Amino acid sequence: MKKRSVFERLAAAPHLVWSVLFIIAPLIFVIYFAFTDIEGGPTLQNIFSLSAYAETFVMSLAFSLIATTVCLLIGYPLAYCMSRASERSRSILTVLLMLPMWISLLIRTYSLMALLDNGGLVSTFITKLGFEKLTFIGTEGAVILGMIYDFLPYMVLPIYTSMTKLDKRYLEAASDLGCNGRQTLLKVILPLTTPGIVSGITMVFVPSISTFYISQKLGGGSFDLLGDTIERQFQNAVTYHTGAAISLVMMVLILISLAVMNKFSDSGEDIIV
């Protein structure tokens, strides 16, 4: 193997220092606190005690799966329409899609609260139409809607990138072999854009299952998700052990999910026409 030059080593040094300080070191601290007690002795009690948070785990997983599924159902057709548009329309649609991402998540969440609050614009408009006042903030649906609203661009952009790189000769070959539009979509376009789908699912599922600010504001504090529980443990608890154990289990769940999705991505490369 070719040895790296001194310049290459120096150029990689800041990244290595950053990785050690802000990625590897925090993971080591999480693992340490997850498997130690207050006195620093090894224990598995922190892991076994997480059964008290089983409902929180299930709720967080369910919310993130629902949000990811809805983002996929909305994002895939949107990405397909964007990829089929003209160059000028693509640029405009891409800017419109990315525009909310240039705004802070805090501001976006507060704007959604202003729209969906009991005295917000949507509720006021519905009341003037003669219907009952809408009560949406503080419900599970509001949290899921917030996840979809904030993370939908992360689903669309990877799929859109995969579709724009799609070789049109595959579509022409499918048409020559007698495939209709539905067959071309299911047997050619969908398998070829699987990497983009997997990337989009990953980019939506991971922040959804670990979110805490969206659930706090749109959920109204009526229930806790994993991010809320971890934040409370690290802020208010005397020790970090329970919060570290929850973080470790959540990290393992995310890694398992990524491994499963990558497996599907690898198996989706064959195209059957």
Side-chain angles (χ1 to χ4, degrees), residues 41-61:
T43 181
L44 295 176
Q45 184 60 35
N46 299 322
I47 304 296
F48 294 147
S49 64
L50 295 185
S51 58
Y53 301 96
E55 183 178 353
T56 303
F57 274 96
V58 173
M59 183 179 295
S60 299
L61 182 61

Side-chain angles (χ1 to χ4, degrees), residues 52 77-78 103 143 166 199 202:
L78 178 58
I103 304 173
V143 176
L166 187 63
S199 179
T202 303

Side-chain angles (χ1 to χ4, degrees), residues 15-88:
H15 173 71
L16 294 176
V17 173
W18 180 277
S19 299
V20 170
L21 290 179
F22 299 106
I23 298 178
I24 298 177
L27 290 178
I28 293 175
F29 280 114
V30 168
I31 296 173
Y32 169 77
F33 282 112
F35 291 104
T36 57
D37 55 20
I38 299 178
E39 298 177 354
T43 181
L44 295 176
Q45 184 60 35
N46 299 322
I47 304 296
F48 294 147
S49 64
L50 295 185
S51 58
Y53 301 96
E55 183 178 353
T56 303
F57 274 96
V58 173
M59 183 179 295
S60 299
L61 182 61
F63 281 20
S64 58
L65 288 176
I66 293 173
T68 304
T69 302
V70 174
C71 284
L72 179 60
L73 294 176
I74 298 175
Y76 197 89
L78 178 58
Y80 179 77
C81 293
M82 290 174 60
S83 65
R84 303 279 290 186
S86 62
E87 289 292 336
R88 179 178 176 82

Side-chain angles (χ1 to χ4, degrees), residues 30 45 61 153 205 224 229 245 269-270:
V30 168
Q45 184 60 35
L61 182 61
F205 178 78
D224 287 338
T229 305
E269 295 178 353
D270 296 329

Side-chain angles (χ1 to χ4, degrees), residues 228-243:
D228 306 315
T229 305
I230 294 173
E231 182 192 28
R232 186 175 297 107
Q233 288 292 328
F234 278 95
Q235 285 185 345
N236 302 328
V238 179
T239 63
Y240 300 151
H241 302 280
T242 302

Side-chain angles (χ1 to χ4, degrees), residues 11 42 47 97 103 121 140 142 207 209 214 247 251 255 258 262:
I47 304 296
L97 181 67
I103 304 173
L121 297 177
E140 292 87 348
I209 198 173
I214 297 175
S247 302
M251 188 164 39
L255 291 176
L258 295 180
N262 287 331

